Amino acid sequence: MHSRRLVKRSILGSRVYAPSPTGDGAVITGVVQAVKQENKDASTGPRRNVYTVLMQDGSLKEYSEDEIAVGSAQMTAKGPLKSSLKQSSCNGWDHPAEPQKVAPDPTEDPRGPDCKSGDHARSVSLLEQKRKVVSSSIDVPHARKSEEEVDMDKVTAAMVLTSLSTSPLVRSPPVKVNECLNGSWKDGAFTPSSYSSSGYWSWSAPSDQSNPSTPSPPLSADSFKPFRMPSVPAAPDDVIDEPDGSSLLFDEPIPRKRKNSMKVMFKCLWKNCGKVLSTAAGIQRHIRTVHLGRNCDSECSDGEEDFYYTEIKLNTDSVADGLSSLSPVSPSVLSPAPPPAPDPRHPEGGGGGAKTESTTPLSRSAPSTLYLVHTDHAYQATTPVTIPSSTNFTPSNCSSFSISWQSPPVTFTGTSVSPTHSRTQSFGEQRPQSIAVLSSPPRASGSLRKSRGEGKKCRKVYGMENRDMWCTACRWKKACQRFVD
DNA sequence: AGTGCCGGGTC
DNA sequence: GACCCGGCACT
């Protein structure tokens, strides 16, 4: 069910393996460009799909679904396209239960759950059209080095979609969404690499509720238009439902640049569940539909789901990226944060099942990375940052900052450290040390405070009890005159 | 935390 | 000027 979209997603633009046209038995890879159906009317016999595959050498070949196999990183599933597709389309997505509510799109229902139908063919053709548009405007990677890489892109795209799907902006006008998304994208915070390994993807999540448009980062709002416009203008729902993202998933040259190593996954806390999804929306839907048994879409949610999932943060990358990579991240992560809708509700928590100090609602919005930034600037920023009492602030992140901040002293070399300078640079504890390291006349610039005397002083010699025996200077807390250095 | 002592206040 | 002390710098 609802897998139809998945099908579409799986076919066009997908990398497949096909027998080499040379007939030498070799297997080559190609990208599905189009799908046709044979035996379409045969109500009896099985329909056969014929896939037009763009081969590595740029040629187009047609293969029946029996001849080619879907290529993916999880090639364990490598096999006839037919079966692969069936699998992925009908039950492949890890969203077990989530009826039509996936997306607030009415059109979803009419098309029905059947995975292979005339409608399917139609939508495929639509996709094909889209794809053409895409291909014309974007350099579709025809040949890639490895399946891993291909998968990478998928994952990357998924992450993008995921991040976007978590955005509350979903409910706002598309245009706005785009803008925001574009903005946040730059700060994209996903590291596909690590994610792919973690495995559990909620593909449906991004596709359904999030704005399908989920532009790829490099695309401006304008350049993005072609993707959604050409497709059925009459069916706005389709725009929403239609996982444009799906086509984008494969067609767009998704930038590999990873900005952040922090991944946020969402884990279902329902006992014996433990489902982990990559998007808050996904996990919410999962909880809503699977555990809470609600069939309505997110609109009618009272937000109870929030109590049944928690945020898991994965620090997938080294901290080496430093602030440059971290700070930009926060915005994007932030964007989804202020969930306009699902906030003010049931303080006591619905079923009482959720143990986690109800940090979940926050954590959902809580851009953990935000903390990083804050931590970063904490030294100078008294600015109160509304940091939800959350949770997932991993220490490792802190370390990254300490690292990045240890270098600054180096910059001092050559220049005398004026007090003010050190002030502005003030690293709290580190300040004095950095100055000391410079060994330059520490207090030279400012007061002429002479270095502390090495010898014994009255205080030390006589002790506090014999203060009477101190020299007057010592008594007056002045420079000792008796044991002058 | 302990110590040295500067800078400033009070009488 | 004698005395005291807050507070910074340093150990």
Side-chain angles (χ1 to χ4, degrees), chain A residues 28 76 109 137 140 149-150 179-180 190 193 209 217 222 258 262 266 302 314 343 346 360 363 401 406 428 479:
Chain A
I28 60 177
T76 54
D109 301 333
S137 61
V140 178
E149 195 166 352
V150 173
E179 292 173 359
C180 297
F190 295 107
S193 57
Q209 95 163 28
D222 291 336
R258 75 160 172 20
M262 297 305 296
F266 300 89
D302 61 356
L314 306 175
D343 295 331
H346 53 263
T360 36
S363 61
F401 290 98
Q406 291 190 338

Side-chain angles (χ1 to χ4, degrees), chain A residues 262-284:
Chain A
M262 297 305 296
K263 304 281 170 207
V264 179
M265 301 293 280
F266 300 89
K267 181 177 183 178
C268 177
L269 294 175
W270 204 272
K271 52 187 171 190
N272 299 331
C273 180
K275 187 178 185 68
V276 177
L277 297 178
S278 58
T279 67
I283 196 69
Q284 285 175 16

Side-chain angles (χ1 to χ4, degrees), chain A residues 94-114:
Chain A
D94 57 336
H95 253 297
E98 61 163 340
Q100 46 280 53
K101 61 196 77 262
V102 251
D105 65 295
T107 60
E108 177 97 349
D109 301 333
R111 287 196 271 178
D114 56 336

Side-chain angles (χ1 to χ4, degrees), chain A residues 8-29:
Chain A
K8 291 183 288 186
R9 198 179 303 183
S10 301
I11 300 174
L12 291 179
S14 293
R15 177 167 293 275
V16 297
Y17 292 87
S20 169
T22 61
D24 56 359
V27 175
I28 60 177
T29 60

Side-chain angles (χ1 to χ4, degrees), chain A residues 54-93:
Chain A
L54 177 62
M55 310 311 292
Q56 284 178 313
D57 58 4
S59 64
L60 285 173
K61 287 277 178 183
E62 289 191 351
Y63 293 94
S64 71
E65 56 193 9
D66 294 327
E67 293 176 298
I68 58 179
V70 171
S72 74
Q74 301 90 344
M75 275 324 278
T76 54
K78 195 168 175 179
L81 177 59
K82 188 175 180 179
S83 58
S84 294
L85 291 178
K86 275 182 181 173
Q87 262 193 346
S88 66
S89 63
C90 294
N91 45 20
W93 306 102

Side-chain angles (χ1 to χ4, degrees), chain A residues 15 30 46 75 84 161 198 207 215-217 281 318 358 406 424 463:
Chain A
R15 177 167 293 275
M75 275 324 278
S84 294
L161 294 173
S198 62
S207 65
S216 71
S318 69
S358 74
Q406 291 190 338
T424 53

Side-chain angles (χ1 to χ4, degrees), chain A residues 6-8 28 44-45 53-55 159 169-170 243 261 271 350 384 423 439 442 453 484:
Chain A
L6 306 178
V7 176
K8 291 183 288 186
I28 60 177
T44 54
V53 179
L54 177 62
M55 310 311 292
M159 288 310 299
L169 295 174
V170 172
S261 58
K271 52 187 171 190
R423 290 277 177 185
S439 76
V484 181

